[in-house]
Amino acid sequence: MAINVEDQNGRRRIRLDDVVDIAQAAELKQILMEAIGSFAPVSIQVSGASAIDVTAVQLLWAALSHASTTGKEFAIVGPWDEEIERSLSCTGISPIMHSMLAQSGEEESNALAARR
């Protein structure tokens, strides 16, 4: 499965694995909506994804934007796979996504704290 959800230590963790594309878009949207509506801090782990298409990127961007306007603790934690980085660069949204992505050396809790 490309999308895994777990609640642990009062946090909701969503892990994207393998290929996340339009085939999983409806599932990802539902999971993100539920996560933002929950009271737990939310983190999206993208380091296990080998490919993320533009549909999934748009959903992540929308979720992060909504979370930031509502004060929700929400972080996208990387790093991106090199193939994903190349795809993002081709679309011109790489700088935008990098501004959303917690650096690979950051601890998840620090990433969440920085986005409060």
Side-chain angles (χ1 to χ4, degrees):
M1 178 175 215
I3 305 169
N4 297 285
V5 180
E6 63 182 49
D7 294 323
Q8 188 176 54
N9 299 325
R11 296 173 189 247
R12 166 114 353 133
R13 290 190 176 127
I14 301 168
R15 192 177 72 242
L16 305 182
D17 293 320
D18 303 319
V19 176
V20 182
D21 59 17
I22 197 161
Q24 292 85 29
E27 178 186 10
L28 179 58
K29 181 179 179 182
Q30 183 64 34
I31 288 169
L32 290 171
M33 290 174 63
E34 288 174 4
I36 291 172
S38 74
F39 293 99
V42 178
S43 67
I44 312 293
Q45 305 284 333
V46 297
S47 57
S50 58
I52 298 177
D53 78 354
V54 69
T55 307
V57 170
Q58 289 173 329
L59 289 170
L60 293 173
W61 173 252
L64 184 66
S65 296
H66 180 73
S68 68
T69 61
T70 60
K72 180 75 177 174
E73 291 183 58
F74 189 98
I76 299 174
V77 182
W80 298 114
D81 177 90
E82 287 182 28
E83 184 63 32
I84 294 170
E85 180 59 36
R86 279 192 292 277
S87 297
L88 293 174
S89 293
C90 289
T91 63
I93 60 174
S94 183
I96 295 167
M97 292 305 289
H98 275 286
S99 70
M100 297 182 348
L101 185 65
Q103 297 303 308
S104 59
E106 280 187 81
E107 293 295 322
E108 181 179 336
S109 58
N110 291 339
L112 287 166
R115 285 163 174 73
R116 285 187 190 171

Short mmCIF file of all heavy atoms in Angstrom, two decimals, residues 34-86:
data_model
loop_
_atom_site.label_atom_id
_atom_site.label_comp_id
_atom_site.label_asym_id
_atom_site.label_seq_id
_atom_site.Cartn_x
_atom_site.Cartn_y
_atom_site.Cartn_z
N GLU A 34 -9.25 13.97 7.01
CA GLU A 34 -9.48 13.42 8.35
C GLU A 34 -8.37 13.85 9.30
O GLU A 34 -8.63 14.19 10.45
CB GLU A 34 -9.56 11.89 8.30
CG GLU A 34 -10.82 11.37 7.67
CD GLU A 34 -10.81 9.86 7.49
OE1 GLU A 34 -9.86 9.19 7.93
OE2 GLU A 34 -11.78 9.36 6.89
N ALA A 35 -7.14 13.84 8.82
CA ALA A 35 -6.01 14.22 9.67
C ALA A 35 -6.10 15.68 10.09
O ALA A 35 -5.88 16.01 11.26
CB ALA A 35 -4.69 13.96 8.94
N ILE A 36 -6.40 16.55 9.17
CA ILE A 36 -6.50 17.98 9.50
C ILE A 36 -7.66 18.23 10.45
O ILE A 36 -7.59 19.10 11.30
CB ILE A 36 -6.61 18.82 8.22
CG1 ILE A 36 -5.29 18.77 7.47
CG2 ILE A 36 -6.99 20.26 8.53
CD1 ILE A 36 -5.32 19.41 6.10
N GLY A 37 -8.71 17.44 10.32
CA GLY A 37 -9.85 17.59 11.21
C GLY A 37 -9.63 17.00 12.59
O GLY A 37 -10.36 17.28 13.52
N SER A 38 -8.58 16.18 12.73
CA SER A 38 -8.30 15.56 14.03
C SER A 38 -7.58 16.56 14.93
O SER A 38 -7.15 17.61 14.49
CB SER A 38 -7.46 14.30 13.86
OG SER A 38 -6.13 14.64 13.54
N PHE A 39 -7.45 16.20 16.19
CA PHE A 39 -6.77 17.07 17.14
C PHE A 39 -5.29 16.73 17.30
O PHE A 39 -4.57 17.42 17.97
CB PHE A 39 -7.46 17.01 18.51
CG PHE A 39 -8.83 17.62 18.46
CD1 PHE A 39 -9.95 16.81 18.34
CD2 PHE A 39 -9.00 18.99 18.51
CE1 PHE A 39 -11.22 17.37 18.28
CE2 PHE A 39 -10.26 19.56 18.44
CZ PHE A 39 -11.38 18.74 18.32
N ALA A 40 -4.87 15.65 16.68
CA ALA A 40 -3.47 15.23 16.80
C ALA A 40 -2.59 16.04 15.85
O ALA A 40 -3.03 16.42 14.77
CB ALA A 40 -3.35 13.74 16.45
N PRO A 41 -1.34 16.32 16.23
CA PRO A 41 -0.41 16.88 15.25
C PRO A 41 -0.27 15.89 14.10
O PRO A 41 -0.38 14.68 14.30
CB PRO A 41 0.91 17.01 16.01
CG PRO A 41 0.53 16.99 17.45
CD PRO A 41 -0.71 16.14 17.53
N VAL A 42 0.00 16.39 12.92
CA VAL A 42 0.06 15.56 11.73
C VAL A 42 1.43 15.70 11.07
O VAL A 42 1.93 16.81 10.91
CB VAL A 42 -1.03 15.97 10.71
CG1 VAL A 42 -0.93 15.15 9.44
CG2 VAL A 42 -2.41 15.87 11.33
N SER A 43 2.01 14.56 10.68
CA SER A 43 3.22 14.60 9.88
C SER A 43 3.04 13.68 8.69
O SER A 43 2.44 12.61 8.79
CB SER A 43 4.46 14.21 10.68
OG SER A 43 4.41 12.86 11.05
N ILE A 44 3.55 14.12 7.56
CA ILE A 44 3.52 13.34 6.33
C ILE A 44 4.96 12.96 6.03
O ILE A 44 5.79 13.82 5.78
CB ILE A 44 2.97 14.16 5.14
CG1 ILE A 44 1.67 14.88 5.49
CG2 ILE A 44 2.83 13.27 3.90
CD1 ILE A 44 0.50 14.00 5.74
N GLN A 45 5.26 11.68 6.08
CA GLN A 45 6.60 11.18 5.78
C GLN A 45 6.68 10.86 4.29
O GLN A 45 5.94 10.01 3.82
CB GLN A 45 6.88 9.91 6.59
CG GLN A 45 6.69 10.05 8.07
CD GLN A 45 7.83 10.80 8.73
OE1 GLN A 45 8.94 10.79 8.23
NE2 GLN A 45 7.54 11.45 9.83
N VAL A 46 7.54 11.55 3.56
CA VAL A 46 7.64 11.34 2.11
C VAL A 46 8.91 10.60 1.70
O VAL A 46 9.08 10.29 0.53
CB VAL A 46 7.53 12.67 1.33
CG1 VAL A 46 6.17 13.31 1.55
CG2 VAL A 46 8.65 13.62 1.71
N SER A 47 9.79 10.31 2.63
CA SER A 47 11.08 9.72 2.27
C SER A 47 10.96 8.31 1.69
O SER A 47 11.86 7.85 1.00
CB SER A 47 12.03 9.72 3.46
OG SER A 47 11.46 9.03 4.55
N GLY A 48 9.85 7.61 1.92
CA GLY A 48 9.67 6.27 1.38
C GLY A 48 9.03 6.24 0.01
O GLY A 48 8.91 5.18 -0.61
N ALA A 49 8.62 7.40 -0.49
CA ALA A 49 7.97 7.46 -1.80
C ALA A 49 9.02 7.49 -2.90
O ALA A 49 9.99 8.23 -2.84
CB ALA A 49 7.08 8.68 -1.89
N SER A 50 8.81 6.66 -3.92
CA SER A 50 9.72 6.67 -5.06
C SER A 50 9.21 7.57 -6.17
O SER A 50 9.98 7.99 -7.03
CB SER A 50 9.92 5.25 -5.59
OG SER A 50 8.67 4.69 -5.96
N ALA A 51 7.91 7.89 -6.15
CA ALA A 51 7.32 8.81 -7.12
C ALA A 51 6.05 9.40 -6.52
O ALA A 51 5.28 8.69 -5.87
CB ALA A 51 7.01 8.10 -8.43
N ILE A 52 5.87 10.68 -6.74
CA ILE A 52 4.65 11.38 -6.31
C ILE A 52 4.23 12.23 -7.49
O ILE A 52 4.98 13.10 -7.94
CB ILE A 52 4.90 12.27 -5.08
CG1 ILE A 52 5.34 11.44 -3.89
CG2 ILE A 52 3.64 13.05 -4.72
CD1 ILE A 52 5.68 12.25 -2.65
N ASP A 53 3.02 11.99 -8.02
CA ASP A 53 2.61 12.76 -9.19
C ASP A 53 2.03 14.11 -8.78
O ASP A 53 1.88 14.42 -7.60
CB ASP A 53 1.67 11.95 -10.08
CG ASP A 53 0.24 11.87 -9.58
OD1 ASP A 53 -0.05 12.34 -8.46
OD2 ASP A 53 -0.60 11.33 -10.32
N VAL A 54 1.71 14.91 -9.77
CA VAL A 54 1.27 16.28 -9.52
C VAL A 54 -0.04 16.31 -8.73
O VAL A 54 -0.26 17.23 -7.94
CB VAL A 54 1.16 17.08 -10.84
CG1 VAL A 54 0.03 16.58 -11.71
CG2 VAL A 54 1.04 18.57 -10.57
N THR A 55 -0.89 15.31 -8.90
CA THR A 55 -2.14 15.25 -8.13
C THR A 55 -1.84 15.16 -6.64
O THR A 55 -2.43 15.89 -5.84
CB THR A 55 -2.98 14.04 -8.56
OG1 THR A 55 -3.16 14.07 -9.97
CG2 THR A 55 -4.33 14.03 -7.87
N ALA A 56 -0.93 14.28 -6.26
CA ALA A 56 -0.57 14.13 -4.85
C ALA A 56 0.13 15.38 -4.33
O ALA A 56 -0.12 15.80 -3.19
CB ALA A 56 0.32 12.91 -4.67
N VAL A 57 0.98 15.99 -5.14
CA VAL A 57 1.66 17.23 -4.73
C VAL A 57 0.63 18.32 -4.46
O VAL A 57 0.72 19.04 -3.46
CB VAL A 57 2.68 17.69 -5.80
CG1 VAL A 57 3.20 19.08 -5.51
CG2 VAL A 57 3.83 16.69 -5.87
N GLN A 58 -0.37 18.45 -5.33
CA GLN A 58 -1.42 19.44 -5.12
C GLN A 58 -2.18 19.19 -3.82
O GLN A 58 -2.50 20.13 -3.09
CB GLN A 58 -2.38 19.46 -6.30
CG GLN A 58 -1.78 20.03 -7.55
CD GLN A 58 -2.69 19.87 -8.76
OE1 GLN A 58 -3.47 18.92 -8.86
NE2 GLN A 58 -2.59 20.82 -9.68
N LEU A 59 -2.47 17.92 -3.54
CA LEU A 59 -3.17 17.59 -2.30
C LEU A 59 -2.33 17.94 -1.07
O LEU A 59 -2.84 18.47 -0.08
CB LEU A 59 -3.57 16.11 -2.29
CG LEU A 59 -4.69 15.72 -3.25
CD1 LEU A 59 -4.82 14.21 -3.33
CD2 LEU A 59 -6.00 16.37 -2.83
N LEU A 60 -1.03 17.63 -1.12
CA LEU A 60 -0.14 17.98 0.00
C LEU A 60 -0.08 19.48 0.19
O LEU A 60 -0.13 19.98 1.31
CB LEU A 60 1.25 17.40 -0.24
CG LEU A 60 1.38 15.88 -0.21
CD1 LEU A 60 2.77 15.46 -0.62
CD2 LEU A 60 1.02 15.34 1.17
N TRP A 61 0.05 20.22 -0.91
CA TRP A 61 0.11 21.68 -0.85
C TRP A 61 -1.17 22.25 -0.24
O TRP A 61 -1.14 23.11 0.64
CB TRP A 61 0.36 22.26 -2.24
CG TRP A 61 0.26 23.74 -2.28
CD1 TRP A 61 -0.74 24.49 -2.83
CD2 TRP A 61 1.19 24.68 -1.73
NE1 TRP A 61 -0.49 25.83 -2.67
CE2 TRP A 61 0.69 25.97 -2.00
CE3 TRP A 61 2.38 24.55 -1.05
CZ2 TRP A 61 1.35 27.13 -1.60
CZ3 TRP A 61 3.04 25.71 -0.65
CH2 TRP A 61 2.52 26.97 -0.93
N ALA A 62 -2.32 21.76 -0.71
CA ALA A 62 -3.61 22.24 -0.19
C ALA A 62 -3.76 21.92 1.29
O ALA A 62 -4.23 22.76 2.07
CB ALA A 62 -4.75 21.62 -0.99
N ALA A 63 -3.37 20.73 1.70
CA ALA A 63 -3.47 20.34 3.11
C ALA A 63 -2.58 21.22 3.98
O ALA A 63 -3.00 21.69 5.04
CB ALA A 63 -3.11 18.87 3.29
N LEU A 64 -1.35 21.44 3.54
CA LEU A 64 -0.44 22.28 4.31
C LEU A 64 -0.94 23.72 4.39
O LEU A 64 -0.90 24.35 5.45
CB LEU A 64 0.97 22.24 3.72
CG LEU A 64 2.02 23.01 4.50
CD1 LEU A 64 2.26 22.37 5.87
CD2 LEU A 64 3.32 23.07 3.73
N SER A 65 -1.44 24.24 3.28
CA SER A 65 -1.97 25.59 3.27
C SER A 65 -3.16 25.73 4.22
O SER A 65 -3.25 26.68 4.98
CB SER A 65 -2.39 25.99 1.85
OG SER A 65 -1.29 26.03 1.00
N HIS A 66 -4.08 24.75 4.16
CA HIS A 66 -5.24 24.78 5.05
C HIS A 66 -4.81 24.68 6.52
O HIS A 66 -5.31 25.41 7.37
CB HIS A 66 -6.21 23.65 4.71
CG HIS A 66 -7.42 23.63 5.57
ND1 HIS A 66 -8.43 24.55 5.46
CD2 HIS A 66 -7.77 22.80 6.59
CE1 HIS A 66 -9.35 24.30 6.38
NE2 HIS A 66 -8.97 23.24 7.08
N ALA A 67 -3.88 23.78 6.78
CA ALA A 67 -3.40 23.61 8.15
C ALA A 67 -2.77 24.89 8.68
O ALA A 67 -2.98 25.27 9.83
CB ALA A 67 -2.40 22.45 8.22
N SER A 68 -2.00 25.57 7.84
CA SER A 68 -1.34 26.80 8.31
C SER A 68 -2.33 27.91 8.58
O SER A 68 -2.13 28.71 9.50
CB SER A 68 -0.26 27.26 7.32
OG SER A 68 -0.84 27.70 6.13
N THR A 69 -3.42 27.98 7.83
CA THR A 69 -4.42 29.03 8.07
C THR A 69 -5.29 28.74 9.29
O THR A 69 -5.87 29.65 9.86
CB THR A 69 -5.32 29.27 6.85
OG1 THR A 69 -6.03 28.07 6.56
CG2 THR A 69 -4.52 29.72 5.65
N THR A 70 -5.37 27.46 9.68
CA THR A 70 -6.19 27.09 10.83
C THR A 70 -5.37 26.84 12.10
O THR A 70 -5.94 26.49 13.12
CB THR A 70 -7.04 25.84 10.51
OG1 THR A 70 -6.17 24.76 10.19
CG2 THR A 70 -7.99 26.10 9.36
N GLY A 71 -4.04 26.99 12.00
CA GLY A 71 -3.19 26.79 13.16
C GLY A 71 -2.93 25.34 13.50
O GLY A 71 -2.49 25.01 14.60
N LYS A 72 -3.18 24.45 12.57
CA LYS A 72 -2.98 23.02 12.79
C LYS A 72 -1.49 22.68 12.73
O LYS A 72 -0.77 23.19 11.88
CB LYS A 72 -3.72 22.26 11.69
CG LYS A 72 -3.62 20.78 11.77
CD LYS A 72 -4.49 20.27 12.86
CE LYS A 72 -4.43 18.75 12.88
NZ LYS A 72 -5.13 18.21 13.98
N GLU A 73 -1.03 21.84 13.65
CA GLU A 73 0.35 21.36 13.60
C GLU A 73 0.45 20.35 12.48
O GLU A 73 -0.18 19.29 12.53
CB GLU A 73 0.74 20.72 14.92
CG GLU A 73 0.87 21.69 16.06
CD GLU A 73 1.33 21.00 17.31
OE1 GLU A 73 2.42 20.38 17.28
OE2 GLU A 73 0.61 21.05 18.31
N PHE A 74 1.23 20.66 11.44
CA PHE A 74 1.28 19.85 10.24
C PHE A 74 2.66 20.00 9.63
O PHE A 74 3.14 21.11 9.47
CB PHE A 74 0.21 20.36 9.27
CG PHE A 74 -0.02 19.51 8.07
CD1 PHE A 74 -1.08 18.62 8.03
CD2 PHE A 74 0.80 19.61 6.96
CE1 PHE A 74 -1.32 17.85 6.91
CE2 PHE A 74 0.57 18.85 5.83
CZ PHE A 74 -0.50 17.96 5.80
N ALA A 75 3.29 18.89 9.28
CA ALA A 75 4.63 18.96 8.67
C ALA A 75 4.76 17.89 7.61
O ALA A 75 4.24 16.79 7.75
CB ALA A 75 5.71 18.76 9.73
N ILE A 76 5.46 18.25 6.56
CA ILE A 76 5.86 17.28 5.55
C ILE A 76 7.34 17.02 5.79
O ILE A 76 8.14 17.94 5.78
CB ILE A 76 5.60 17.82 4.13
CG1 ILE A 76 4.10 18.10 3.96
CG2 ILE A 76 6.10 16.82 3.09
CD1 ILE A 76 3.75 18.78 2.66
N VAL A 77 7.67 15.76 6.06
CA VAL A 77 9.02 15.41 6.47
C VAL A 77 9.67 14.56 5.39
O VAL A 77 9.10 13.57 4.93
CB VAL A 77 8.99 14.64 7.82
CG1 VAL A 77 10.39 14.32 8.28
CG2 VAL A 77 8.23 15.44 8.87
N GLY A 78 10.87 14.94 4.97
CA GLY A 78 11.56 14.29 3.85
C GLY A 78 12.80 13.57 4.29
O GLY A 78 12.91 13.19 5.44
N PRO A 79 13.70 13.38 3.41
CA PRO A 79 13.87 14.06 2.12
C PRO A 79 13.11 13.38 1.00
O PRO A 79 12.68 12.23 1.11
CB PRO A 79 15.38 13.93 1.86
CG PRO A 79 15.72 12.61 2.45
CD PRO A 79 14.84 12.49 3.69
N TRP A 80 12.95 14.13 -0.11
CA TRP A 80 12.38 13.57 -1.33
C TRP A 80 13.37 12.60 -1.95
O TRP A 80 14.57 12.78 -1.85
CB TRP A 80 12.13 14.65 -2.38
CG TRP A 80 11.18 15.74 -2.07
CD1 TRP A 80 11.51 17.05 -1.91
CD2 TRP A 80 9.77 15.65 -1.93
NE1 TRP A 80 10.37 17.77 -1.67
CE2 TRP A 80 9.29 16.95 -1.67
CE3 TRP A 80 8.86 14.61 -1.98
CZ2 TRP A 80 7.94 17.23 -1.50
CZ3 TRP A 80 7.51 14.89 -1.80
CH2 TRP A 80 7.07 16.18 -1.56
N ASP A 81 12.86 11.63 -2.66
CA ASP A 81 13.66 10.77 -3.53
C ASP A 81 14.20 11.63 -4.68
O ASP A 81 13.57 12.61 -5.07
CB ASP A 81 12.75 9.64 -4.05
CG ASP A 81 13.44 8.72 -5.01
OD1 ASP A 81 14.01 7.72 -4.56
OD2 ASP A 81 13.38 9.01 -6.22
N GLU A 82 15.35 11.29 -5.24
CA GLU A 82 15.94 12.07 -6.33
C GLU A 82 15.01 12.16 -7.54
O GLU A 82 14.95 13.20 -8.20
CB GLU A 82 17.28 11.48 -6.74
CG GLU A 82 18.38 11.74 -5.73
CD GLU A 82 19.71 11.17 -6.17
OE1 GLU A 82 19.94 11.07 -7.40
OE2 GLU A 82 20.51 10.85 -5.29
N GLU A 83 14.29 11.09 -7.85
CA GLU A 83 13.37 11.10 -8.99
C GLU A 83 12.23 12.09 -8.76
O GLU A 83 11.82 12.80 -9.67
CB GLU A 83 12.81 9.70 -9.23
CG GLU A 83 11.92 9.60 -10.44
CD GLU A 83 12.63 9.92 -11.75
OE1 GLU A 83 13.83 9.63 -11.87
OE2 GLU A 83 11.97 10.47 -12.65
N ILE A 84 11.74 12.15 -7.53
CA ILE A 84 10.69 13.12 -7.20
C ILE A 84 11.24 14.53 -7.35
O ILE A 84 10.57 15.40 -7.91
CB ILE A 84 10.14 12.88 -5.78
CG1 ILE A 84 9.44 11.53 -5.70
CG2 ILE A 84 9.21 14.01 -5.36
CD1 ILE A 84 9.07 11.09 -4.31
N GLU A 85 12.43 14.76 -6.88
CA GLU A 85 13.05 16.08 -7.00
C GLU A 85 13.16 16.50 -8.47
O GLU A 85 12.87 17.63 -8.81
CB GLU A 85 14.43 16.10 -6.33
CG GLU A 85 15.12 17.44 -6.40
CD GLU A 85 14.34 18.57 -5.74
OE1 GLU A 85 13.68 18.32 -4.73
OE2 GLU A 85 14.38 19.69 -6.27
N ARG A 86 13.57 15.58 -9.33
CA ARG A 86 13.67 15.90 -10.76
C ARG A 86 12.31 16.26 -11.32
O ARG A 86 12.17 17.21 -12.09
CB ARG A 86 14.28 14.73 -11.53
CG ARG A 86 15.79 14.68 -11.45
CD ARG A 86 16.38 13.71 -12.45
NE ARG A 86 16.07 12.32 -12.16
CZ ARG A 86 16.76 11.57 -11.29
NH1 ARG A 86 17.79 12.08 -10.65
NH2 ARG A 86 16.43 10.32 -11.09
#
